[in-house]
Amino acid sequence: MPVIEVNLEDFRELLGREVSIEELQDRLPMMGTSWEGVTEDGFHLEVFPNRPDLLSIEGLVRAYANWTGARTGLRRYPVEKSDYKVVVDKKTQEVRPWFVTAVVKNVEFDDPLIRSIIQMQEKLHVTHGRRRRKVAIGLHSLEPIEFPVTYTTKPPEFKFRPLGERFEKDLTWILGEMKTGKEYAWTVEGFKEYPMILDRKGMVLSMPPIINGEYTRIDELTTELFVDVTGTDLKAITEVLNVICVTLADRGAEIHEVHNHYPDGKVLTTPSLDPWVMELDNDYVNHTLGSEFTPKESARELEKMGHGTEVKGNVIKVKIPSYRADIMHPIDLVEDIAIGYDYDNFEPEIPPISSEAGEDPLEVFSRGLRNFLVGLGLLEVVTFMMSNRDKLFHRMSLPEEPICETDNPKMEAYDSLRNRLLPGLMEVLSTNKHHQYPQNLYEVDDVVVIDPSTETGARSRRRLAIALCHSSASFSEIKATMNTILENLELQAEVVEGGWDCFIEGRRFTAVLEGKPICWAGEVKPEVLERWDLEMPVAALEMDVNLLFKAHVG
């Protein structure tokens, strides 16, 4: 989750009153953020990705002023009429179809605002923007721009002067040689032509989502901005544009509309900073929270979260600010009521139900296994649940199989859920070669395997993995380790030849219990050791803890 840096003096100035660091440390987490520590000039705060409006100091002050009662209710952000026009070329619809814009005037670019805008833009790109693929933001000096602005595409040989460069460069060079281009080239991979924003004279404002043009560079003398947001989802880019506009408006800037003409004839006039309305039944609030709020009391708490309200009988008509991207269902408003009321004010009650409480038996069994393995002289490690196909299959010399993978992963190193524990142990050994041997490790934790019969298409399985790494690690030693575990659990398994391909043929086995494979073990192949850059022999095993538990208690 994104962590923002907040300057305390700037926070106090925007809030309009003195506030101590102790108060903020105590109260800000109750708004749904996480305190990350004090800095020389202020503090660090972790913000949940569903609240992009809190990624700037202006948004944070706005929310805190509402919540503490200093300025409750809905804030109105007027948008001035204008005749600014943007044309969206039909060619963009196949690559990056959505484009919304705004003009902002009377901006005073002092140091605090510059820092805030840079930080907000960076955090929005990472979270809401999915590293610019879903949403990308461009901020430009309005002064040199001649309207109408055109959003189109250009071929790889097209040239313009990127931000920070002295000469014009073609798009192929930008994507292959420039630092920013190489970092975000994946967002336009496979495109025959690349998105481009130009003004009436043909001067380039931006190559979204890669880099802005030098032509519209912003400096400390800039007082008027042209803001563009491109992306693959209209709702997401509209939310980001609204957040940027209200942030600048909180610093005293004026927001002006822009008319975006799409190829189908539709005209989107943006930004629209008017609130939208959702009705909330007060009975639903009280049933969910276990409270006895009157409709007016619920409305008061909603106003402390920046909403406008109108009570009609038992129904609250809630006017939701344009920058609150997290409100999607009445339950989100119920959560706001709970935050506004303050969780500290709720009195905990034991529900009037009869149920058997206690620790999960599988967890009790797993803890016993861990204690036993420590007694064998093994060192426990805890590795990441996330991995990737290279570690899970290629480096282990195992055939690829279906696994759970994430969409739009932040890092290629962590784009899948592990289906085995053993690759994680091999990685630990690989990164600890500088330490003395023996290195005998174990881990008891979950993996995720594909299961079409479940609602999610996958299920968790508890596994135990052991890796013995020293000069005399052998088949006999790892088999003896497995036998010791089974004997301690008073279980007997049949050992059959064969097993996983990561183990040396003839020095590997599978243990079967009640007709099901319960353990895979052996000496790790030299080529696997080489891929993990290990020079010491490794003998390893992996066991199915769910089957062990079932057999032990059954």
Side-chain angles (χ1 to χ4, degrees), residues 370-398:
R370 293 186 182 102
N371 292 337
F372 176 74
L373 294 170
V374 169
L376 291 181
L378 304 178
L379 177 67
E380 183 178 18
V381 297
V382 180
T383 60
F384 293 123
M385 172 67 78
M386 301 296 294
S387 186
N388 61 53
R389 286 186 170 272
D390 178 59
K391 295 176 184 176
L392 295 174
F393 302 113
H394 174 68
R395 292 199 195 183
M396 297 298 296
S397 288
L398 291 169

PDB file of all heavy atoms in Angstrom, residues 370-398:
ATOM      1  N   ARG A 370       5.920 -28.096  13.994  1.00  0.00           N
ATOM      2  CA  ARG A 370       7.015 -27.119  14.039  1.00  0.00           C
ATOM      3  C   ARG A 370       7.901 -27.354  15.265  1.00  0.00           C
ATOM      4  O   ARG A 370       9.135 -27.337  15.164  1.00  0.00           O
ATOM      5  CB  ARG A 370       6.448 -25.692  14.060  1.00  0.00           C
ATOM      6  CG  ARG A 370       5.732 -25.284  12.775  1.00  0.00           C
ATOM      7  CD  ARG A 370       5.321 -23.817  12.811  1.00  0.00           C
ATOM      8  NE  ARG A 370       4.599 -23.434  11.589  1.00  0.00           N
ATOM      9  CZ  ARG A 370       3.286 -23.305  11.507  1.00  0.00           C
ATOM     10  NH1 ARG A 370       2.519 -23.529  12.573  1.00  0.00           N
ATOM     11  NH2 ARG A 370       2.714 -22.952  10.376  1.00  0.00           N
ATOM     12  N   ASN A 371       7.266 -27.566  16.400  1.00  0.00           N
ATOM     13  CA  ASN A 371       8.043 -27.804  17.622  1.00  0.00           C
ATOM     14  C   ASN A 371       8.892 -29.067  17.506  1.00  0.00           C
ATOM     15  O   ASN A 371      10.048 -29.106  17.943  1.00  0.00           O
ATOM     16  CB  ASN A 371       7.103 -27.922  18.829  1.00  0.00           C
ATOM     17  CG  ASN A 371       6.428 -26.600  19.164  1.00  0.00           C
ATOM     18  OD1 ASN A 371       6.931 -25.540  18.815  1.00  0.00           O
ATOM     19  ND2 ASN A 371       5.286 -26.668  19.821  1.00  0.00           N
ATOM     20  N   PHE A 372       8.329 -30.097  16.892  1.00  0.00           N
ATOM     21  CA  PHE A 372       9.043 -31.358  16.712  1.00  0.00           C
ATOM     22  C   PHE A 372      10.246 -31.171  15.786  1.00  0.00           C
ATOM     23  O   PHE A 372      11.349 -31.687  16.055  1.00  0.00           O
ATOM     24  CB  PHE A 372       8.092 -32.417  16.162  1.00  0.00           C
ATOM     25  CG  PHE A 372       8.752 -33.723  15.854  1.00  0.00           C
ATOM     26  CD1 PHE A 372       9.144 -34.580  16.875  1.00  0.00           C
ATOM     27  CD2 PHE A 372       8.999 -34.102  14.538  1.00  0.00           C
ATOM     28  CE1 PHE A 372       9.759 -35.792  16.588  1.00  0.00           C
ATOM     29  CE2 PHE A 372       9.618 -35.309  14.246  1.00  0.00           C
ATOM     30  CZ  PHE A 372       9.996 -36.158  15.278  1.00  0.00           C
ATOM     31  N   LEU A 373      10.052 -30.418  14.693  1.00  0.00           N
ATOM     32  CA  LEU A 373      11.128 -30.225  13.716  1.00  0.00           C
ATOM     33  C   LEU A 373      12.265 -29.380  14.292  1.00  0.00           C
ATOM     34  O   LEU A 373      13.426 -29.590  13.964  1.00  0.00           O
ATOM     35  CB  LEU A 373      10.564 -29.580  12.448  1.00  0.00           C
ATOM     36  CG  LEU A 373       9.581 -30.473  11.666  1.00  0.00           C
ATOM     37  CD1 LEU A 373       8.888 -29.679  10.571  1.00  0.00           C
ATOM     38  CD2 LEU A 373      10.290 -31.682  11.086  1.00  0.00           C
ATOM     39  N   VAL A 374      11.931 -28.423  15.144  1.00  0.00           N
ATOM     40  CA  VAL A 374      12.981 -27.670  15.825  1.00  0.00           C
ATOM     41  C   VAL A 374      13.808 -28.613  16.696  1.00  0.00           C
ATOM     42  O   VAL A 374      15.037 -28.499  16.790  1.00  0.00           O
ATOM     43  CB  VAL A 374      12.352 -26.549  16.690  1.00  0.00           C
ATOM     44  CG1 VAL A 374      13.401 -25.933  17.623  1.00  0.00           C
ATOM     45  CG2 VAL A 374      11.762 -25.466  15.797  1.00  0.00           C
ATOM     46  N   GLY A 375      13.132 -29.593  17.306  1.00  0.00           N
ATOM     47  CA  GLY A 375      13.838 -30.585  18.118  1.00  0.00           C
ATOM     48  C   GLY A 375      14.784 -31.443  17.312  1.00  0.00           C
ATOM     49  O   GLY A 375      15.739 -32.017  17.857  1.00  0.00           O
ATOM     50  N   LEU A 376      14.547 -31.554  16.011  1.00  0.00           N
ATOM     51  CA  LEU A 376      15.453 -32.298  15.130  1.00  0.00           C
ATOM     52  C   LEU A 376      16.652 -31.459  14.699  1.00  0.00           C
ATOM     53  O   LEU A 376      17.493 -31.933  13.923  1.00  0.00           O
ATOM     54  CB  LEU A 376      14.699 -32.773  13.885  1.00  0.00           C
ATOM     55  CG  LEU A 376      13.643 -33.873  14.080  1.00  0.00           C
ATOM     56  CD1 LEU A 376      13.002 -34.236  12.742  1.00  0.00           C
ATOM     57  CD2 LEU A 376      14.250 -35.104  14.720  1.00  0.00           C
ATOM     58  N   GLY A 377      16.714 -30.221  15.176  1.00  0.00           N
ATOM     59  CA  GLY A 377      17.847 -29.360  14.827  1.00  0.00           C
ATOM     60  C   GLY A 377      17.654 -28.580  13.546  1.00  0.00           C
ATOM     61  O   GLY A 377      18.624 -28.042  13.004  1.00  0.00           O
ATOM     62  N   LEU A 378      16.404 -28.479  13.065  1.00  0.00           N
ATOM     63  CA  LEU A 378      16.127 -27.731  11.839  1.00  0.00           C
ATOM     64  C   LEU A 378      15.787 -26.284  12.163  1.00  0.00           C
ATOM     65  O   LEU A 378      15.230 -25.975  13.220  1.00  0.00           O
ATOM     66  CB  LEU A 378      14.963 -28.372  11.076  1.00  0.00           C
ATOM     67  CG  LEU A 378      15.119 -29.853  10.719  1.00  0.00           C
ATOM     68  CD1 LEU A 378      13.872 -30.359  10.012  1.00  0.00           C
ATOM     69  CD2 LEU A 378      16.345 -30.069   9.844  1.00  0.00           C
ATOM     70  N   LEU A 379      16.097 -25.394  11.226  1.00  0.00           N
ATOM     71  CA  LEU A 379      15.823 -23.970  11.386  1.00  0.00           C
ATOM     72  C   LEU A 379      14.583 -23.606  10.578  1.00  0.00           C
ATOM     73  O   LEU A 379      14.513 -23.870   9.380  1.00  0.00           O
ATOM     74  CB  LEU A 379      17.019 -23.149  10.906  1.00  0.00           C
ATOM     75  CG  LEU A 379      16.865 -21.620  10.951  1.00  0.00           C
ATOM     76  CD1 LEU A 379      16.776 -21.137  12.394  1.00  0.00           C
ATOM     77  CD2 LEU A 379      18.039 -20.958  10.236  1.00  0.00           C
ATOM     78  N   GLU A 380      13.599 -22.972  11.230  1.00  0.00           N
ATOM     79  CA  GLU A 380      12.364 -22.606  10.531  1.00  0.00           C
ATOM     80  C   GLU A 380      12.560 -21.340   9.701  1.00  0.00           C
ATOM     81  O   GLU A 380      13.198 -20.383  10.141  1.00  0.00           O
ATOM     82  CB  GLU A 380      11.223 -22.382  11.514  1.00  0.00           C
ATOM     83  CG  GLU A 380       9.901 -22.058  10.800  1.00  0.00           C
ATOM     84  CD  GLU A 380       8.722 -21.868  11.740  1.00  0.00           C
ATOM     85  OE1 GLU A 380       8.952 -21.652  12.945  1.00  0.00           O
ATOM     86  OE2 GLU A 380       7.576 -21.933  11.263  1.00  0.00           O
ATOM     87  N   VAL A 381      12.001 -21.342   8.508  1.00  0.00           N
ATOM     88  CA  VAL A 381      11.966 -20.148   7.665  1.00  0.00           C
ATOM     89  C   VAL A 381      10.512 -19.916   7.250  1.00  0.00           C
ATOM     90  O   VAL A 381       9.692 -20.827   7.250  1.00  0.00           O
ATOM     91  CB  VAL A 381      12.860 -20.277   6.408  1.00  0.00           C
ATOM     92  CG1 VAL A 381      14.314 -20.430   6.791  1.00  0.00           C
ATOM     93  CG2 VAL A 381      12.410 -21.443   5.533  1.00  0.00           C
ATOM     94  N   VAL A 382      10.215 -18.681   6.899  1.00  0.00           N
ATOM     95  CA  VAL A 382       8.892 -18.313   6.388  1.00  0.00           C
ATOM     96  C   VAL A 382       9.111 -17.573   5.080  1.00  0.00           C
ATOM     97  O   VAL A 382       9.679 -16.479   5.070  1.00  0.00           O
ATOM     98  CB  VAL A 382       8.117 -17.423   7.380  1.00  0.00           C
ATOM     99  CG1 VAL A 382       6.751 -17.060   6.804  1.00  0.00           C
ATOM    100  CG2 VAL A 382       7.954 -18.122   8.727  1.00  0.00           C
ATOM    101  N   THR A 383       8.701 -18.169   3.983  1.00  0.00           N
ATOM    102  CA  THR A 383       8.937 -17.581   2.666  1.00  0.00           C
ATOM    103  C   THR A 383       7.654 -16.964   2.124  1.00  0.00           C
ATOM    104  O   THR A 383       6.576 -17.156   2.670  1.00  0.00           O
ATOM    105  CB  THR A 383       9.461 -18.638   1.682  1.00  0.00           C
ATOM    106  OG1 THR A 383       8.496 -19.686   1.545  1.00  0.00           O
ATOM    107  CG2 THR A 383      10.769 -19.235   2.185  1.00  0.00           C
ATOM    108  N   PHE A 384       7.785 -16.233   1.024  1.00  0.00           N
ATOM    109  CA  PHE A 384       6.646 -15.526   0.448  1.00  0.00           C
ATOM    110  C   PHE A 384       5.650 -16.493  -0.188  1.00  0.00           C
ATOM    111  O   PHE A 384       6.048 -17.460  -0.851  1.00  0.00           O
ATOM    112  CB  PHE A 384       7.103 -14.519  -0.612  1.00  0.00           C
ATOM    113  CG  PHE A 384       7.888 -13.368  -0.053  1.00  0.00           C
ATOM    114  CD1 PHE A 384       9.162 -13.091  -0.502  1.00  0.00           C
ATOM    115  CD2 PHE A 384       7.332 -12.556   0.928  1.00  0.00           C
ATOM    116  CE1 PHE A 384       9.886 -12.020   0.007  1.00  0.00           C
ATOM    117  CE2 PHE A 384       8.046 -11.487   1.450  1.00  0.00           C
ATOM    118  CZ  PHE A 384       9.319 -11.217   0.988  1.00  0.00           C
ATOM    119  N   MET A 385       4.361 -16.177  -0.017  1.00  0.00           N
ATOM    120  CA  MET A 385       3.316 -16.924  -0.714  1.00  0.00           C
ATOM    121  C   MET A 385       3.396 -16.672  -2.224  1.00  0.00           C
ATOM    122  O   MET A 385       3.109 -17.546  -3.027  1.00  0.00           O
ATOM    123  CB  MET A 385       1.949 -16.515  -0.174  1.00  0.00           C
ATOM    124  CG  MET A 385       0.760 -17.086  -0.937  1.00  0.00           C
ATOM    125  SD  MET A 385       0.606 -18.880  -0.796  1.00  0.00           S
ATOM    126  CE  MET A 385      -0.126 -18.992   0.846  1.00  0.00           C
ATOM    127  N   MET A 386       3.827 -15.451  -2.621  1.00  0.00           N
ATOM    128  CA  MET A 386       3.925 -15.096  -4.032  1.00  0.00           C
ATOM    129  C   MET A 386       5.256 -15.567  -4.604  1.00  0.00           C
ATOM    130  O   MET A 386       6.292 -15.489  -3.945  1.00  0.00           O
ATOM    131  CB  MET A 386       3.792 -13.586  -4.212  1.00  0.00           C
ATOM    132  CG  MET A 386       2.498 -12.985  -3.691  1.00  0.00           C
ATOM    133  SD  MET A 386       1.039 -13.584  -4.573  1.00  0.00           S
ATOM    134  CE  MET A 386       1.328 -12.883  -6.205  1.00  0.00           C
ATOM    135  N   SER A 387       5.198 -16.030  -5.841  1.00  0.00           N
ATOM    136  CA  SER A 387       6.410 -16.484  -6.523  1.00  0.00           C
ATOM    137  C   SER A 387       6.237 -16.217  -8.016  1.00  0.00           C
ATOM    138  O   SER A 387       5.489 -15.322  -8.408  1.00  0.00           O
ATOM    139  CB  SER A 387       6.636 -17.977  -6.237  1.00  0.00           C
ATOM    140  OG  SER A 387       7.866 -18.403  -6.761  1.00  0.00           O
ATOM    141  N   ASN A 388       6.927 -16.999  -8.856  1.00  0.00           N
ATOM    142  CA  ASN A 388       6.734 -16.884 -10.300  1.00  0.00           C
ATOM    143  C   ASN A 388       7.068 -18.216 -10.958  1.00  0.00           C
ATOM    144  O   ASN A 388       7.627 -19.122 -10.336  1.00  0.00           O
ATOM    145  CB  ASN A 388       7.575 -15.748 -10.889  1.00  0.00           C
ATOM    146  CG  ASN A 388       9.062 -15.954 -10.670  1.00  0.00           C
ATOM    147  OD1 ASN A 388       9.620 -16.995 -11.008  1.00  0.00           O
ATOM    148  ND2 ASN A 388       9.721 -14.960 -10.098  1.00  0.00           N
ATOM    149  N   ARG A 389       6.720 -18.345 -12.215  1.00  0.00           N
ATOM    150  CA  ARG A 389       6.890 -19.621 -12.923  1.00  0.00           C
ATOM    151  C   ARG A 389       8.349 -20.027 -13.056  1.00  0.00           C
ATOM    152  O   ARG A 389       8.672 -21.214 -13.051  1.00  0.00           O
ATOM    153  CB  ARG A 389       6.241 -19.541 -14.313  1.00  0.00           C
ATOM    154  CG  ARG A 389       4.721 -19.599 -14.265  1.00  0.00           C
ATOM    155  CD  ARG A 389       4.105 -19.672 -15.657  1.00  0.00           C
ATOM    156  NE  ARG A 389       2.688 -19.968 -15.571  1.00  0.00           N
ATOM    157  CZ  ARG A 389       2.178 -21.194 -15.532  1.00  0.00           C
ATOM    158  NH1 ARG A 389       2.996 -22.238 -15.585  1.00  0.00           N
ATOM    159  NH2 ARG A 389       0.883 -21.378 -15.451  1.00  0.00           N
ATOM    160  N   ASP A 390       9.245 -19.067 -13.176  1.00  0.00           N
ATOM    161  CA  ASP A 390      10.666 -19.408 -13.297  1.00  0.00           C
ATOM    162  C   ASP A 390      11.149 -20.157 -12.056  1.00  0.00           C
ATOM    163  O   ASP A 390      11.823 -21.184 -12.160  1.00  0.00           O
ATOM    164  CB  ASP A 390      11.482 -18.132 -13.503  1.00  0.00           C
ATOM    165  CG  ASP A 390      12.973 -18.425 -13.596  1.00  0.00           C
ATOM    166  OD1 ASP A 390      13.375 -19.183 -14.496  1.00  0.00           O
ATOM    167  OD2 ASP A 390      13.727 -17.898 -12.754  1.00  0.00           O
ATOM    168  N   LYS A 391      10.795 -19.650 -10.870  1.00  0.00           N
ATOM    169  CA  LYS A 391      11.220 -20.296  -9.630  1.00  0.00           C
ATOM    170  C   LYS A 391      10.501 -21.611  -9.397  1.00  0.00           C
ATOM    171  O   LYS A 391      11.104 -22.589  -8.943  1.00  0.00           O
ATOM    172  CB  LYS A 391      10.982 -19.356  -8.445  1.00  0.00           C
ATOM    173  CG  LYS A 391      11.811 -18.093  -8.467  1.00  0.00           C
ATOM    174  CD  LYS A 391      11.430 -17.179  -7.300  1.00  0.00           C
ATOM    175  CE  LYS A 391      12.180 -15.869  -7.370  1.00  0.00           C
ATOM    176  NZ  LYS A 391      11.760 -14.929  -6.294  1.00  0.00           N
ATOM    177  N   LEU A 392       9.199 -21.630  -9.695  1.00  0.00           N
ATOM    178  CA  LEU A 392       8.395 -22.816  -9.388  1.00  0.00           C
ATOM    179  C   LEU A 392       8.656 -23.979 -10.338  1.00  0.00           C
ATOM    180  O   LEU A 392       8.543 -25.152  -9.944  1.00  0.00           O
ATOM    181  CB  LEU A 392       6.904 -22.458  -9.419  1.00  0.00           C
ATOM    182  CG  LEU A 392       6.418 -21.472  -8.355  1.00  0.00           C
ATOM    183  CD1 LEU A 392       4.960 -21.110  -8.602  1.00  0.00           C
ATOM    184  CD2 LEU A 392       6.588 -22.055  -6.960  1.00  0.00           C
ATOM    185  N   PHE A 393       9.015 -23.675 -11.581  1.00  0.00           N
ATOM    186  CA  PHE A 393       9.144 -24.744 -12.574  1.00  0.00           C
ATOM    187  C   PHE A 393      10.533 -24.812 -13.218  1.00  0.00           C
ATOM    188  O   PHE A 393      11.209 -25.833 -13.127  1.00  0.00           O
ATOM    189  CB  PHE A 393       8.065 -24.575 -13.654  1.00  0.00           C
ATOM    190  CG  PHE A 393       6.670 -24.588 -13.107  1.00  0.00           C
ATOM    191  CD1 PHE A 393       5.874 -23.449 -13.148  1.00  0.00           C
ATOM    192  CD2 PHE A 393       6.139 -25.733 -12.521  1.00  0.00           C
ATOM    193  CE1 PHE A 393       4.592 -23.452 -12.635  1.00  0.00           C
ATOM    194  CE2 PHE A 393       4.858 -25.753 -12.003  1.00  0.00           C
ATOM    195  CZ  PHE A 393       4.079 -24.602 -12.059  1.00  0.00           C
ATOM    196  N   HIS A 394      10.966 -23.736 -13.866  1.00  0.00           N
ATOM    197  CA  HIS A 394      12.214 -23.796 -14.633  1.00  0.00           C
ATOM    198  C   HIS A 394      13.422 -24.109 -13.748  1.00  0.00           C
ATOM    199  O   HIS A 394      14.180 -25.051 -14.031  1.00  0.00           O
ATOM    200  CB  HIS A 394      12.435 -22.476 -15.379  1.00  0.00           C
ATOM    201  CG  HIS A 394      13.756 -22.396 -16.078  1.00  0.00           C
ATOM    202  ND1 HIS A 394      14.055 -23.198 -17.164  1.00  0.00           N
ATOM    203  CD2 HIS A 394      14.853 -21.633 -15.834  1.00  0.00           C
ATOM    204  CE1 HIS A 394      15.299 -22.925 -17.561  1.00  0.00           C
ATOM    205  NE2 HIS A 394      15.798 -21.984 -16.773  1.00  0.00           N
ATOM    206  N   ARG A 395      13.600 -23.349 -12.688  1.00  0.00           N
ATOM    207  CA  ARG A 395      14.766 -23.581 -11.830  1.00  0.00           C
ATOM    208  C   ARG A 395      14.686 -24.932 -11.111  1.00  0.00           C
ATOM    209  O   ARG A 395      15.719 -25.479 -10.714  1.00  0.00           O
ATOM    210  CB  ARG A 395      14.892 -22.466 -10.791  1.00  0.00           C
ATOM    211  CG  ARG A 395      15.249 -21.120 -11.372  1.00  0.00           C
ATOM    212  CD  ARG A 395      15.792 -20.223 -10.274  1.00  0.00           C
ATOM    213  NE  ARG A 395      15.814 -18.826 -10.684  1.00  0.00           N
ATOM    214  CZ  ARG A 395      16.299 -17.852  -9.940  1.00  0.00           C
ATOM    215  NH1 ARG A 395      16.787 -18.116  -8.741  1.00  0.00           N
ATOM    216  NH2 ARG A 395      16.284 -16.605 -10.364  1.00  0.00           N
ATOM    217  N   MET A 396      13.484 -25.441 -10.923  1.00  0.00           N
ATOM    218  CA  MET A 396      13.314 -26.719 -10.229  1.00  0.00           C
ATOM    219  C   MET A 396      13.302 -27.912 -11.191  1.00  0.00           C
ATOM    220  O   MET A 396      13.164 -29.062 -10.746  1.00  0.00           O
ATOM    221  CB  MET A 396      12.010 -26.704  -9.430  1.00  0.00           C
ATOM    222  CG  MET A 396      11.962 -25.671  -8.315  1.00  0.00           C
ATOM    223  SD  MET A 396      13.222 -25.915  -7.043  1.00  0.00           S
ATOM    224  CE  MET A 396      12.731 -27.509  -6.382  1.00  0.00           C
ATOM    225  N   SER A 397      13.436 -27.658 -12.510  1.00  0.00           N
ATOM    226  CA  SER A 397      13.367 -28.725 -13.524  1.00  0.00           C
ATOM    227  C   SER A 397      12.060 -29.513 -13.423  1.00  0.00           C
ATOM    228  O   SER A 397      12.030 -30.731 -13.570  1.00  0.00           O
ATOM    229  CB  SER A 397      14.555 -29.685 -13.380  1.00  0.00           C
ATOM    230  OG  SER A 397      15.744 -29.077 -13.806  1.00  0.00           O
ATOM    231  N   LEU A 398      10.990 -28.796 -13.148  1.00  0.00           N
ATOM    232  CA  LEU A 398       9.669 -29.420 -13.036  1.00  0.00           C
ATOM    233  C   LEU A 398       8.813 -28.998 -14.220  1.00  0.00           C
ATOM    234  O   LEU A 398       8.911 -27.854 -14.692  1.00  0.00           O
ATOM    235  CB  LEU A 398       8.990 -29.000 -11.735  1.00  0.00           C
ATOM    236  CG  LEU A 398       9.605 -29.539 -10.440  1.00  0.00           C
ATOM    237  CD1 LEU A 398       9.004 -28.834  -9.226  1.00  0.00           C
ATOM    238  CD2 LEU A 398       9.393 -31.048 -10.345  1.00  0.00           C
TER     239      LEU A 398
END
